[in-house]
Amino acid sequence: MATHERPARLALTAAVVLLLLGAAGVLVRQQVFATGPPQGDWAEPGALAPMTRRFGGGVDLSVDGGPPRQVRIPVPGAPPAGFAPVVIAENGSLLVPATYDGATRTVVAEAAHSGRFWGGLLDLAALGREAEPAPRPDCAGHAASSGGVTVDVGEPDPRTPVWVCVTAGNGRADVTLTSNARVPYRIVLPPGWPAPGARTAAASTSAVQLFGRPRQRDLLWPGAGVTYSVPFGLLPASVRGQADPGPALGTALATAAHRAAGLFGLAGDAGPAAGVLACAADAGAARYTPDRPFAEVAADVWTALEPCHPDGGAVVRRLVAAGIGAVTSSVAAASPAFELPVTTSRAQRFTQSVAYRPRAATARVTGSCATVSAVSGRHDAYRCSAGGTTYDPCFAGPRPQLSCPASATKAVLLTASGALPVPPRPGGTADPFLLVLENGLQCAAVAGPEVRYTCSDGRTVLHGVPDTASPLWTIEGRTVAKAYG
């Protein structure tokens, strides 16, 4: 035979036509392609099922009735680690469980009807993968401020298994943790922190179905989020988390069983039933211990899942048991504990509240103090007079002299000629009694039925008390830089 005829001869060898007559007289015809289809209308499957790839040749099978027939598809060798042999049917939309025969280097399966079948591989690790890690939210690592208080969670570390976002308002910080891990974490809250006010689980089927379970309520599941609304008074603080792979091990196995059953046409697309997942999570939590080899624990949990009735029956049970290490590989990865500090800081601009202390005298007078102050509510404040001038307030010191503020930095030293009212008692309601505005204007409280302040420019009069709801006080829309009480 000429050299140029050799490829045609090899192609002819690769296409083998088998005509078999079964015991019941059923005609079976198999056309086997060792490495790929011949030219013509025989093509690759239209679209491969999820988690599947092509492997080896194919078979064009014609069965004229009768029981399922065995098909053998030539493959290059044993399936690689982490993959199970399957036969691809229905133009790629359905899988048939198969085994690998090392003696003949073929993938072997049972076919119940005529059609075209291809050799394939099923990714076992993808079967048990619950959710991809959550992407970093835009808010992660950003500080938030309200009322002069800034709440910060620091720059996010990509090695930390959670993203942290914070918002602030009305004296509280909303701290949101979003898991980017592959296993759930048990959150340890600082003392006094409230229960979570909101949960999200867009990326995790297990999280949605397990939020209400007693054993799983405190877990932050992969792809899920949880928000804590914390008063500023409980900050700064640190939130800690510890990986808890046990429940995830159970749900990963139940999820893998459902996915495999769906690929084999044995289950629908709705996902495992909530009862199956809850049972699986509880089984995993009950049997997981970190001191045992993970593969041993996984096999133990898979056995314990039988009363939970995972999808797929015996066919899937054998598949998962044979690939238990690959199926649970995402759960087996190391999951470090974490500690996240939530810090607070006050705004640089705030009203300085000062308790007035006697100043060096700019003048000295002698007078009397017959009553407590009509302005200040301090217990050591008096209303005094000297030479026809009223001083209010005047503050008693350790000596029989009183300091009567004339401004924030000046005071008149008054020597009382008689005894002070005993015991002293609060009188006035203006607290503070002296305001220094942001523009430097000083405004002193004056006695009267309503609180009011007259200012040093001789024109401005402010009514009411300062608004102290934020660190930077205001009065009638004017900013108070310093307040003396």
Side-chain angles (χ1 to χ4, degrees):
M1 181 178 291
T3 304
H4 68 275
E5 295 176 348
R6 187 174 183 184
R9 183 179 179 183
L10 291 176
L12 187 61
T13 304
V16 181
V17 178
L18 303 179
L19 292 174
L20 303 175
L21 189 62
V26 178
L27 184 64
V28 181
R29 178 179 178 272
Q30 295 190 38
Q31 189 175 8
V32 183
F33 308 104
T35 58
Q39 298 299 316
D41 64 348
W42 217 99
E44 288 289 301
L48 290 179
M51 298 167 279
T52 309
R53 67 163 93 163
R54 277 278 287 114
F55 185 56
V59 168
D60 192 352
L61 176 67
S62 295
V63 179
D64 187 12
R69 294 291 169 176
Q70 185 182 85
V71 294
R72 288 181 173 270
I73 299 176
V75 293
F83 291 84
V86 292
V87 167
I88 302 169
E90 305 292 345
N91 202 29
S93 62
L94 185 68
L95 301 184
V96 179
T99 58
Y100 172 68
D101 183 355
T104 60
R105 295 177 69 178
T106 57
V107 169
V108 184
E110 296 287 333
H113 56 80
S114 300
R116 290 171 176 172
F117 301 87
W118 297 263
L121 295 172
L122 178 60
D123 185 346
L124 295 173
L127 276 181
R129 195 171 296 136
E130 170 70 291
E132 290 299 317
R136 172 177 171 170
D138 292 338
C139 59
H142 291 267
S145 298
S146 175
V149 177
T150 298
V151 183
D152 196 2
V153 292
E155 183 63 24
D157 184 344
R159 296 169 297 180
T160 302
V162 294
W163 301 116
V164 189
C165 292
V166 63
T167 59
N170 299 320
R172 307 179 76 88
D174 286 350
V175 181
T176 300
L177 310 180
T178 303
S179 170
N180 64 344
R182 292 194 180 277
V183 299
Y185 271 75
R186 196 164 296 280
I187 305 301
V188 180
L189 296 177
W193 274 37
R199 292 181 184 266
T200 58
S204 176
T205 302
S206 294
V208 173
Q209 299 183 356
L210 296 174
F211 276 164
R213 299 290 296 180
R215 288 191 182 182
Q216 325 307 334
R217 188 177 296 126
D218 297 330
L219 292 180
L220 179 61
W221 282 83
V226 62
T227 298
Y228 303 94
S229 185
V230 186
F232 287 159
L234 296 179
L235 299 173
S238 291
V239 180
R240 294 181 291 116
Q242 183 71 44
D244 194 349
L249 180 56
T251 59
L253 289 166
T255 300
H258 175 79
R259 288 174 177 162
L263 293 172
F264 295 147
L266 303 174
D269 297 330
V276 173
L277 279 179
C279 178
D282 289 348
R287 284 162 177 79
Y288 174 79
T289 54
D291 56 344
R292 296 168 59 195
F294 193 85
E296 178 184 316
V297 176
D300 186 19
V301 172
W302 180 233
T303 301
L305 255 59
E306 188 168 359
C308 302
H309 304 293
D311 296 308
V315 171
V316 171
R317 290 199 66 80
R318 287 193 297 268
L319 174 78
V320 173
I324 195 79
V327 170
T328 59
S329 58
S330 65
V331 184
S335 303
F338 68 83
E339 183 171 356
L340 298 169
V342 183
T343 62
T344 56
S345 60
R346 294 280 175 177
Q348 292 184 351
R349 297 183 68 234
F350 61 93
T351 296
Q352 186 177 0
S353 182
V354 181
Y356 184 82
R357 293 291 181 265
R359 302 279 180 162
T362 57
R364 297 175 182 271
V365 296
T366 299
S368 61
C369 304
T371 63
V372 296
S373 172
V375 174
S376 173
R378 278 177 47 168
H379 72 280
D380 60 346
Y382 298 88
R383 185 177 178 87
C384 306
S385 61
T389 300
T390 300
Y391 299 93
D392 189 5
C394 292
F395 298 101
R399 295 177 292 179
Q401 294 172 318
L402 297 91
S403 180
C404 308
S407 69
T409 56
K410 298 179 181 180
V412 173
L413 189 63
L414 185 147
T415 301
S417 58
L420 297 176
V422 178
R425 61 187 184 278
T429 59
D431 186 14
F433 73 91
L434 178 64
L435 306 176
V436 179
L437 302 184
E438 192 175 43
N439 61 4
L441 203 62
Q442 297 187 23
C443 305
V446 294
E450 298 178 352
V451 177
R452 61 190 178 93
Y453 297 82
T454 60
C455 300
S456 54
D457 63 357
R459 301 186 305 274
T460 305
V461 178
L462 304 176
H463 299 272
V465 297
D467 180 0
T468 61
S470 67
L472 197 60
W473 298 359
T474 60
I475 183 170
E476 291 191 347
R478 301 168 186 258
T479 300
V480 180
K482 188 177 291 188
Y484 290 86

